[in-house]
Amino acid sequence: MMARQEQVLLLEPQHELKFRGPFTDVVTTTLKLANPTDRNVCFKVKTTAPRRYCVRPNSGVIDAGTSINVSVMLQPFDYDPNEKSKHKFMVQSLLAPPDMTDIEGVWKEAKPEDLMDSKLRCVFELPSENEKMHDMDTNKILSSSLLKSESSTLSMKSVGSSLDDGEVKKIMEECKRLQMEVQRLREENKQIREDDGLRMRKSAAVSGQHPSSASSTSAVRLQEQGPSTRMLALVVLFFVIGVIIGKLLL
């Protein structure tokens, strides 16, 4: 009788499937199966206690150079720490033929020497009291952080509930542009005031020669330039407010 081939699949973990309690709910552990060969490999996952576990997927084909994760779900049960687990799992595999069309037929026709298998035992772990307290504290911290994050997200959403990201971005860009425009108008207004002051000082110097004409010319210029600049700045400000309110109401 020929000896069986060595397992070509790489298992992670290799020897033990650990399940951490409490076991009042479904406990899931993951078994990774990797195929390092240049051939497709058929596999099956079997257990000595099929009613106690749900395995997904429990069979299939792993393509060359790829891997899959198998979820092993232990069903709830009354845990007895004095009772050692006798449950075992076996990963069975065989190289898939190049022209495979029926995977079940391949398993049925496989010779014993073509089959490869790996065995894993199940280990149940129950957390200590200190670990339970630590887990509870960690869960409280995570819950608190999650609530804060959600409240922050909700407050942000309430502000822009009627706006999508594109609209918000457009409004922000429009506000920046208008702010720059207002700033430019302020600078121009400041420059005009400085020019007016300079003209007034020059007018005062020649007021002895033309007192009435100099003062009247300066007053006319102030009336022409000052109000027009202020009105333009006010118009821009009202336009900014109108655009933002209009976008929010749409």
Side-chain angles (χ1 to χ4, degrees), residues 161-219:
S161 57
S162 61
L163 299 174
D164 58 23
D165 292 341
E167 290 175 334
V168 172
K169 187 176 179 182
K170 286 180 181 178
I171 291 175
M172 294 301 293
E173 289 176 353
E174 186 69 14
C175 286
K176 285 182 180 179
R177 188 183 68 79
L178 293 172
Q179 285 173 357
M180 291 174 66
E181 184 68 19
V182 170
Q183 184 63 30
R184 185 181 66 80
L185 290 171
R186 284 176 181 168
E187 293 294 333
E188 287 183 2
N189 196 27
K190 181 180 177 183
Q191 187 63 41
I192 288 170
R193 287 199 300 268
E194 291 175 355
D195 293 343
D196 286 342
L198 182 60
R199 280 194 294 270
M200 288 178 69
R201 286 194 294 274
K202 287 181 178 179
S203 298
V206 296
S207 61
Q209 299 175 0
H210 309 285
S212 58
S213 62
S215 59
S216 61
T217 303
S218 177

Short mmCIF file of all heavy atoms in Angstrom, two decimals, residues 161-219:
data_model
loop_
_atom_site.label_atom_id
_atom_site.label_comp_id
_atom_site.label_asym_id
_atom_site.label_seq_id
_atom_site.Cartn_x
_atom_site.Cartn_y
_atom_site.Cartn_z
N SER A 161 -27.87 68.77 5.78
CA SER A 161 -28.67 67.61 5.42
C SER A 161 -29.21 67.69 4.00
O SER A 161 -29.44 66.69 3.35
CB SER A 161 -29.83 67.45 6.40
OG SER A 161 -30.60 68.64 6.40
N SER A 162 -29.44 68.94 3.53
CA SER A 162 -30.00 69.10 2.19
C SER A 162 -28.94 69.31 1.13
O SER A 162 -29.26 69.58 -0.01
CB SER A 162 -30.98 70.28 2.19
OG SER A 162 -30.29 71.46 2.53
N LEU A 163 -27.67 69.24 1.52
CA LEU A 163 -26.59 69.49 0.57
C LEU A 163 -25.73 68.25 0.41
O LEU A 163 -25.43 67.57 1.39
CB LEU A 163 -25.71 70.64 1.06
CG LEU A 163 -26.40 72.01 1.24
CD1 LEU A 163 -25.42 72.98 1.86
CD2 LEU A 163 -26.92 72.55 -0.07
N ASP A 164 -25.33 67.98 -0.81
CA ASP A 164 -24.36 66.92 -1.01
C ASP A 164 -22.96 67.53 -0.99
O ASP A 164 -22.77 68.73 -0.87
CB ASP A 164 -24.63 66.16 -2.32
CG ASP A 164 -24.60 67.09 -3.54
OD1 ASP A 164 -23.96 68.16 -3.44
OD2 ASP A 164 -25.20 66.73 -4.56
N ASP A 165 -21.95 66.67 -1.06
CA ASP A 165 -20.56 67.13 -0.96
C ASP A 165 -20.21 68.13 -2.05
O ASP A 165 -19.49 69.10 -1.82
CB ASP A 165 -19.61 65.92 -1.03
CG ASP A 165 -19.74 65.04 0.20
OD1 ASP A 165 -20.26 65.56 1.21
OD2 ASP A 165 -19.34 63.86 0.14
N GLY A 166 -20.72 67.90 -3.25
CA GLY A 166 -20.41 68.81 -4.36
C GLY A 166 -20.95 70.21 -4.13
O GLY A 166 -20.27 71.20 -4.38
N GLU A 167 -22.20 70.28 -3.60
CA GLU A 167 -22.80 71.58 -3.36
C GLU A 167 -22.06 72.33 -2.26
O GLU A 167 -21.85 73.54 -2.34
CB GLU A 167 -24.28 71.42 -3.01
CG GLU A 167 -25.13 70.97 -4.19
CD GLU A 167 -26.56 70.70 -3.78
OE1 GLU A 167 -26.77 70.38 -2.60
OE2 GLU A 167 -27.47 70.82 -4.61
N VAL A 168 -21.72 71.60 -1.19
CA VAL A 168 -20.99 72.22 -0.08
C VAL A 168 -19.66 72.78 -0.58
O VAL A 168 -19.25 73.90 -0.23
CB VAL A 168 -20.76 71.21 1.07
CG1 VAL A 168 -19.83 71.81 2.12
CG2 VAL A 168 -22.08 70.83 1.70
N LYS A 169 -18.97 72.00 -1.41
CA LYS A 169 -17.68 72.44 -1.93
C LYS A 169 -17.83 73.70 -2.78
O LYS A 169 -17.04 74.65 -2.68
CB LYS A 169 -17.06 71.32 -2.76
CG LYS A 169 -15.63 71.60 -3.21
CD LYS A 169 -15.04 70.41 -3.93
CE LYS A 169 -13.63 70.71 -4.40
NZ LYS A 169 -13.04 69.58 -5.15
N LYS A 170 -18.89 73.75 -3.60
CA LYS A 170 -19.13 74.91 -4.44
C LYS A 170 -19.39 76.15 -3.59
O LYS A 170 -18.90 77.23 -3.88
CB LYS A 170 -20.30 74.65 -5.38
CG LYS A 170 -19.99 73.70 -6.53
CD LYS A 170 -21.21 73.49 -7.41
CE LYS A 170 -20.90 72.51 -8.54
NZ LYS A 170 -22.11 72.27 -9.37
N ILE A 171 -20.21 75.97 -2.52
CA ILE A 171 -20.52 77.10 -1.66
C ILE A 171 -19.27 77.62 -0.98
O ILE A 171 -19.04 78.83 -0.88
CB ILE A 171 -21.58 76.70 -0.60
CG1 ILE A 171 -22.93 76.46 -1.29
CG2 ILE A 171 -21.73 77.77 0.47
CD1 ILE A 171 -24.00 75.94 -0.37
N MET A 172 -18.43 76.68 -0.49
CA MET A 172 -17.19 77.09 0.18
C MET A 172 -16.28 77.85 -0.78
O MET A 172 -15.68 78.87 -0.42
CB MET A 172 -16.47 75.86 0.73
CG MET A 172 -17.22 75.16 1.86
SD MET A 172 -17.55 76.23 3.27
CE MET A 172 -15.90 76.50 3.85
N GLU A 173 -16.17 77.36 -2.01
CA GLU A 173 -15.33 78.05 -3.00
C GLU A 173 -15.89 79.43 -3.32
O GLU A 173 -15.14 80.40 -3.46
CB GLU A 173 -15.24 77.20 -4.27
CG GLU A 173 -14.41 75.94 -4.10
CD GLU A 173 -14.41 75.07 -5.34
OE1 GLU A 173 -15.17 75.40 -6.29
OE2 GLU A 173 -13.65 74.07 -5.38
N GLU A 174 -17.23 79.53 -3.43
CA GLU A 174 -17.87 80.82 -3.72
C GLU A 174 -17.63 81.79 -2.57
O GLU A 174 -17.36 82.98 -2.78
CB GLU A 174 -19.37 80.61 -3.94
CG GLU A 174 -20.12 81.85 -4.38
CD GLU A 174 -19.77 82.29 -5.79
OE1 GLU A 174 -19.16 81.50 -6.54
OE2 GLU A 174 -20.09 83.43 -6.14
N CYS A 175 -17.75 81.30 -1.32
CA CYS A 175 -17.52 82.15 -0.15
C CYS A 175 -16.08 82.67 -0.13
O CYS A 175 -15.84 83.85 0.16
CB CYS A 175 -17.80 81.38 1.14
SG CYS A 175 -19.56 81.13 1.44
N LYS A 176 -15.12 81.76 -0.42
CA LYS A 176 -13.72 82.18 -0.43
C LYS A 176 -13.49 83.27 -1.49
O LYS A 176 -12.80 84.26 -1.24
CB LYS A 176 -12.81 80.98 -0.72
CG LYS A 176 -12.64 80.04 0.46
CD LYS A 176 -11.68 78.92 0.12
CE LYS A 176 -11.51 77.97 1.30
NZ LYS A 176 -10.61 76.86 0.98
N ARG A 177 -14.09 83.07 -2.67
CA ARG A 177 -13.89 84.04 -3.74
C ARG A 177 -14.49 85.39 -3.36
O ARG A 177 -13.87 86.44 -3.57
CB ARG A 177 -14.55 83.53 -5.02
CG ARG A 177 -14.24 84.37 -6.26
CD ARG A 177 -14.98 83.85 -7.46
NE ARG A 177 -16.41 84.06 -7.36
CZ ARG A 177 -17.01 85.22 -7.58
NH1 ARG A 177 -16.30 86.29 -7.91
NH2 ARG A 177 -18.31 85.33 -7.49
N LEU A 178 -15.68 85.35 -2.75
CA LEU A 178 -16.32 86.60 -2.36
C LEU A 178 -15.60 87.28 -1.22
O LEU A 178 -15.53 88.51 -1.15
CB LEU A 178 -17.78 86.33 -1.99
CG LEU A 178 -18.68 85.89 -3.17
CD1 LEU A 178 -20.04 85.46 -2.67
CD2 LEU A 178 -18.83 87.01 -4.18
N GLN A 179 -15.06 86.47 -0.30
CA GLN A 179 -14.27 87.05 0.78
C GLN A 179 -13.04 87.77 0.24
O GLN A 179 -12.67 88.85 0.72
CB GLN A 179 -13.84 85.96 1.77
CG GLN A 179 -14.97 85.49 2.67
CD GLN A 179 -14.57 84.31 3.52
OE1 GLN A 179 -13.45 83.81 3.39
NE2 GLN A 179 -15.46 83.87 4.39
N MET A 180 -12.41 87.16 -0.75
CA MET A 180 -11.25 87.80 -1.36
C MET A 180 -11.65 89.10 -2.07
O MET A 180 -10.94 90.09 -2.03
CB MET A 180 -10.59 86.84 -2.37
CG MET A 180 -9.91 85.64 -1.71
SD MET A 180 -9.31 84.44 -2.90
CE MET A 180 -8.03 85.41 -3.71
N GLU A 181 -12.84 89.08 -2.69
CA GLU A 181 -13.33 90.28 -3.37
C GLU A 181 -13.59 91.40 -2.36
O GLU A 181 -13.25 92.56 -2.60
CB GLU A 181 -14.62 89.93 -4.13
CG GLU A 181 -15.18 91.07 -4.97
CD GLU A 181 -14.29 91.43 -6.16
OE1 GLU A 181 -13.45 90.60 -6.55
OE2 GLU A 181 -14.45 92.54 -6.66
N VAL A 182 -14.21 91.04 -1.23
CA VAL A 182 -14.48 92.04 -0.19
C VAL A 182 -13.18 92.61 0.35
O VAL A 182 -13.04 93.82 0.58
CB VAL A 182 -15.33 91.42 0.95
CG1 VAL A 182 -15.41 92.36 2.14
CG2 VAL A 182 -16.72 91.10 0.44
N GLN A 183 -12.19 91.70 0.56
CA GLN A 183 -10.90 92.16 1.06
C GLN A 183 -10.24 93.12 0.07
O GLN A 183 -9.65 94.13 0.45
CB GLN A 183 -9.99 90.95 1.32
CG GLN A 183 -8.63 91.29 1.92
CD GLN A 183 -8.74 91.92 3.30
OE1 GLN A 183 -9.67 91.63 4.02
NE2 GLN A 183 -7.81 92.78 3.64
N ARG A 184 -10.38 92.81 -1.23
CA ARG A 184 -9.79 93.68 -2.25
C ARG A 184 -10.46 95.06 -2.23
O ARG A 184 -9.81 96.11 -2.34
CB ARG A 184 -9.95 93.04 -3.63
CG ARG A 184 -9.26 93.81 -4.76
CD ARG A 184 -9.49 93.12 -6.09
NE ARG A 184 -10.88 93.15 -6.48
CZ ARG A 184 -11.47 94.22 -7.05
NH1 ARG A 184 -10.79 95.34 -7.24
NH2 ARG A 184 -12.74 94.17 -7.40
N LEU A 185 -11.80 95.05 -2.06
CA LEU A 185 -12.51 96.33 -2.00
C LEU A 185 -12.12 97.14 -0.77
O LEU A 185 -12.04 98.37 -0.82
CB LEU A 185 -14.02 96.07 -2.00
CG LEU A 185 -14.59 95.53 -3.32
CD1 LEU A 185 -16.04 95.11 -3.14
CD2 LEU A 185 -14.48 96.59 -4.41
N ARG A 186 -11.88 96.42 0.32
CA ARG A 186 -11.44 97.12 1.53
C ARG A 186 -10.09 97.81 1.30
O ARG A 186 -9.87 98.94 1.73
CB ARG A 186 -11.34 96.14 2.70
CG ARG A 186 -12.69 95.74 3.29
CD ARG A 186 -12.50 94.69 4.37
NE ARG A 186 -13.78 94.28 4.93
CZ ARG A 186 -13.91 93.22 5.73
NH1 ARG A 186 -12.85 92.50 6.03
NH2 ARG A 186 -15.09 92.92 6.22
N GLU A 187 -9.19 97.08 0.64
CA GLU A 187 -7.87 97.65 0.36
C GLU A 187 -8.00 98.87 -0.56
O GLU A 187 -7.33 99.88 -0.37
CB GLU A 187 -6.97 96.59 -0.29
CG GLU A 187 -6.60 95.43 0.63
CD GLU A 187 -5.73 95.87 1.79
OE1 GLU A 187 -5.01 96.87 1.65
OE2 GLU A 187 -5.77 95.21 2.85
N GLU A 188 -8.87 98.74 -1.57
CA GLU A 188 -9.07 99.87 -2.48
C GLU A 188 -9.65 101.06 -1.74
O GLU A 188 -9.27 102.21 -1.96
CB GLU A 188 -9.99 99.45 -3.62
CG GLU A 188 -9.33 98.52 -4.63
CD GLU A 188 -10.26 98.20 -5.80
OE1 GLU A 188 -11.39 98.74 -5.81
OE2 GLU A 188 -9.84 97.43 -6.68
N ASN A 189 -10.63 100.79 -0.85
CA ASN A 189 -11.25 101.86 -0.07
C ASN A 189 -10.23 102.56 0.83
O ASN A 189 -10.22 103.78 0.96
CB ASN A 189 -12.39 101.30 0.76
CG ASN A 189 -13.32 102.38 1.29
OD1 ASN A 189 -13.43 103.43 0.67
ND2 ASN A 189 -13.97 102.12 2.40
N LYS A 190 -9.35 101.72 1.42
CA LYS A 190 -8.30 102.27 2.27
C LYS A 190 -7.35 103.16 1.46
O LYS A 190 -6.96 104.26 1.89
CB LYS A 190 -7.52 101.14 2.93
CG LYS A 190 -6.40 101.60 3.86
CD LYS A 190 -5.69 100.40 4.45
CE LYS A 190 -4.51 100.85 5.32
NZ LYS A 190 -3.76 99.69 5.85
N GLN A 191 -7.00 102.68 0.26
CA GLN A 191 -6.11 103.45 -0.61
C GLN A 191 -6.75 104.76 -1.04
O GLN A 191 -6.12 105.82 -1.10
CB GLN A 191 -5.75 102.61 -1.84
CG GLN A 191 -4.69 103.25 -2.74
CD GLN A 191 -3.34 103.43 -2.05
OE1 GLN A 191 -2.91 102.54 -1.33
NE2 GLN A 191 -2.72 104.58 -2.25
N ILE A 192 -8.06 104.69 -1.31
CA ILE A 192 -8.78 105.90 -1.72
C ILE A 192 -8.79 106.92 -0.59
O ILE A 192 -8.59 108.13 -0.80
CB ILE A 192 -10.22 105.56 -2.15
CG1 ILE A 192 -10.19 104.82 -3.50
CG2 ILE A 192 -11.09 106.81 -2.26
CD1 ILE A 192 -11.50 104.23 -3.90
N ARG A 193 -9.02 106.42 0.66
CA ARG A 193 -9.02 107.34 1.80
C ARG A 193 -7.65 108.00 1.97
O ARG A 193 -7.55 109.19 2.28
CB ARG A 193 -9.42 106.59 3.08
CG ARG A 193 -10.90 106.25 3.15
CD ARG A 193 -11.35 105.96 4.57
NE ARG A 193 -10.61 104.84 5.14
CZ ARG A 193 -11.00 103.58 5.08
NH1 ARG A 193 -12.13 103.30 4.44
NH2 ARG A 193 -10.28 102.62 5.62
N GLU A 194 -6.59 107.18 1.78
CA GLU A 194 -5.24 107.75 1.88
C GLU A 194 -5.00 108.79 0.79
O GLU A 194 -4.42 109.86 1.04
CB GLU A 194 -4.20 106.64 1.81
CG GLU A 194 -4.19 105.73 3.03
CD GLU A 194 -3.22 104.57 2.87
OE1 GLU A 194 -2.64 104.43 1.78
OE2 GLU A 194 -3.06 103.79 3.84
N ASP A 195 -5.46 108.49 -0.44
CA ASP A 195 -5.30 109.45 -1.54
C ASP A 195 -6.09 110.72 -1.27
O ASP A 195 -5.63 111.84 -1.56
CB ASP A 195 -5.75 108.82 -2.86
CG ASP A 195 -4.82 107.68 -3.28
OD1 ASP A 195 -3.70 107.62 -2.75
OD2 ASP A 195 -5.23 106.88 -4.15
N ASP A 196 -7.30 110.55 -0.72
CA ASP A 196 -8.12 111.72 -0.40
C ASP A 196 -7.45 112.59 0.65
O ASP A 196 -7.47 113.83 0.57
CB ASP A 196 -9.50 111.27 0.11
CG ASP A 196 -10.36 110.74 -1.03
OD1 ASP A 196 -10.03 111.05 -2.20
OD2 ASP A 196 -11.34 110.03 -0.75
N GLY A 197 -6.85 111.93 1.66
CA GLY A 197 -6.15 112.70 2.69
C GLY A 197 -4.99 113.47 2.11
O GLY A 197 -4.74 114.63 2.47
N LEU A 198 -4.26 112.80 1.18
CA LEU A 198 -3.13 113.47 0.54
C LEU A 198 -3.60 114.68 -0.29
O LEU A 198 -3.01 115.75 -0.27
CB LEU A 198 -2.38 112.47 -0.36
CG LEU A 198 -1.13 113.02 -1.07
CD1 LEU A 198 -0.09 113.51 -0.06
CD2 LEU A 198 -0.53 111.93 -1.97
N ARG A 199 -4.71 114.48 -1.02
CA ARG A 199 -5.24 115.58 -1.83
C ARG A 199 -5.72 116.74 -0.95
O ARG A 199 -5.56 117.91 -1.28
CB ARG A 199 -6.38 115.08 -2.71
CG ARG A 199 -5.90 114.35 -3.97
CD ARG A 199 -7.05 114.19 -4.95
NE ARG A 199 -8.08 113.30 -4.44
CZ ARG A 199 -8.06 111.99 -4.66
NH1 ARG A 199 -7.08 111.43 -5.33
NH2 ARG A 199 -9.04 111.23 -4.18
N MET A 200 -6.32 116.36 0.20
CA MET A 200 -6.80 117.42 1.11
C MET A 200 -5.64 118.22 1.66
O MET A 200 -5.72 119.45 1.80
CB MET A 200 -7.61 116.81 2.25
CG MET A 200 -8.98 116.28 1.80
SD MET A 200 -9.89 115.51 3.14
CE MET A 200 -10.25 116.96 4.12
N ARG A 201 -4.53 117.51 1.99
CA ARG A 201 -3.37 118.24 2.50
C ARG A 201 -2.79 119.16 1.42
O ARG A 201 -2.36 120.27 1.68
CB ARG A 201 -2.31 117.24 2.99
CG ARG A 201 -2.68 116.58 4.32
CD ARG A 201 -1.49 115.88 4.94
NE ARG A 201 -1.04 114.74 4.12
CZ ARG A 201 -1.54 113.53 4.22
NH1 ARG A 201 -2.53 113.27 5.08
NH2 ARG A 201 -1.09 112.55 3.47
N LYS A 202 -2.76 118.65 0.17
CA LYS A 202 -2.28 119.51 -0.92
C LYS A 202 -3.21 120.70 -1.13
O LYS A 202 -2.78 121.82 -1.40
CB LYS A 202 -2.18 118.69 -2.22
CG LYS A 202 -1.02 117.71 -2.22
CD LYS A 202 -0.98 116.96 -3.55
CE LYS A 202 0.20 116.00 -3.59
NZ LYS A 202 0.24 115.25 -4.87
N SER A 203 -4.51 120.44 -1.01
CA SER A 203 -5.48 121.52 -1.19
C SER A 203 -5.32 122.58 -0.11
O SER A 203 -5.46 123.78 -0.36
CB SER A 203 -6.90 120.96 -1.15
OG SER A 203 -7.09 120.06 -2.20
N ALA A 204 -5.02 122.10 1.14
CA ALA A 204 -4.83 123.05 2.24
C ALA A 204 -3.62 123.93 1.98
O ALA A 204 -3.58 125.11 2.36
CB ALA A 204 -4.68 122.29 3.55
N ALA A 205 -2.57 123.35 1.31
CA ALA A 205 -1.36 124.11 1.05
C ALA A 205 -1.61 125.25 0.06
O ALA A 205 -0.99 126.30 0.11
CB ALA A 205 -0.26 123.20 0.54
N VAL A 206 -2.55 125.00 -0.86
CA VAL A 206 -2.81 126.04 -1.88
C VAL A 206 -4.12 126.76 -1.60
O VAL A 206 -4.64 127.46 -2.46
CB VAL A 206 -2.84 125.40 -3.28
CG1 VAL A 206 -1.50 124.83 -3.63
CG2 VAL A 206 -3.95 124.35 -3.38
N SER A 207 -4.69 126.54 -0.40
CA SER A 207 -5.99 127.15 -0.10
C SER A 207 -5.91 128.66 -0.02
O SER A 207 -6.90 129.35 -0.21
CB SER A 207 -6.53 126.58 1.22
OG SER A 207 -5.64 126.88 2.28
N GLY A 208 -4.67 129.15 0.28
CA GLY A 208 -4.51 130.61 0.33
C GLY A 208 -4.75 131.24 -1.03
O GLY A 208 -5.23 132.36 -1.13
N GLN A 209 -4.38 130.49 -2.10
CA GLN A 209 -4.51 131.03 -3.45
C GLN A 209 -5.91 130.79 -4.00
O GLN A 209 -6.51 131.65 -4.61
CB GLN A 209 -3.46 130.42 -4.39
CG GLN A 209 -2.03 130.72 -3.95
CD GLN A 209 -1.01 129.99 -4.81
OE1 GLN A 209 -1.39 129.28 -5.74
NE2 GLN A 209 0.26 130.20 -4.52
N HIS A 210 -6.42 129.56 -3.83
CA HIS A 210 -7.76 129.21 -4.37
C HIS A 210 -8.56 128.51 -3.29
O HIS A 210 -8.81 127.31 -3.36
CB HIS A 210 -7.64 128.29 -5.60
CG HIS A 210 -6.70 128.82 -6.63
ND1 HIS A 210 -7.02 129.87 -7.47
CD2 HIS A 210 -5.42 128.46 -6.95
CE1 HIS A 210 -6.00 130.13 -8.28
NE2 HIS A 210 -5.01 129.28 -7.97
N PRO A 211 -8.97 129.18 -2.25
CA PRO A 211 -9.64 128.51 -1.13
C PRO A 211 -10.95 127.88 -1.52
O PRO A 211 -11.23 126.76 -1.13
CB PRO A 211 -9.84 129.65 -0.12
CG PRO A 211 -9.77 130.92 -0.92
CD PRO A 211 -8.86 130.66 -2.06
N SER A 212 -11.76 128.57 -2.26
CA SER A 212 -13.09 128.03 -2.54
C SER A 212 -13.04 126.90 -3.54
O SER A 212 -13.70 125.88 -3.40
CB SER A 212 -14.00 129.16 -3.08
OG SER A 212 -13.43 129.72 -4.25
N SER A 213 -12.21 127.06 -4.59
CA SER A 213 -12.17 126.03 -5.64
C SER A 213 -11.56 124.75 -5.14
O SER A 213 -11.99 123.66 -5.48
CB SER A 213 -11.38 126.55 -6.85
OG SER A 213 -10.03 126.83 -6.48
N ALA A 214 -10.48 124.83 -4.28
CA ALA A 214 -9.81 123.61 -3.79
C ALA A 214 -10.73 122.81 -2.91
O ALA A 214 -10.82 121.59 -3.03
CB ALA A 214 -8.54 124.00 -3.02
N SER A 215 -11.41 123.50 -1.98
CA SER A 215 -12.28 122.76 -1.05
C SER A 215 -13.45 122.14 -1.79
O SER A 215 -13.86 121.02 -1.51
CB SER A 215 -12.76 123.69 0.06
OG SER A 215 -13.48 124.79 -0.51
N SER A 216 -13.99 122.86 -2.74
CA SER A 216 -15.14 122.32 -3.47
C SER A 216 -14.75 121.13 -4.33
O SER A 216 -15.47 120.14 -4.43
CB SER A 216 -15.75 123.41 -4.36
OG SER A 216 -14.81 123.87 -5.31
N THR A 217 -13.53 121.20 -4.95
CA THR A 217 -13.06 120.07 -5.78
C THR A 217 -12.87 118.82 -4.93
O THR A 217 -13.25 117.71 -5.31
CB THR A 217 -11.74 120.44 -6.48
OG1 THR A 217 -11.94 121.61 -7.24
CG2 THR A 217 -11.26 119.30 -7.36
N SER A 218 -12.25 118.98 -3.74
CA SER A 218 -12.01 117.84 -2.84
C SER A 218 -13.33 117.24 -2.38
O SER A 218 -13.49 116.02 -2.31
CB SER A 218 -11.18 118.29 -1.64
OG SER A 218 -11.00 117.23 -0.75
N ALA A 219 -14.27 118.10 -2.05
CA ALA A 219 -15.56 117.59 -1.56
C ALA A 219 -16.26 116.80 -2.65
O ALA A 219 -16.86 115.75 -2.39
CB ALA A 219 -16.43 118.78 -1.12
#
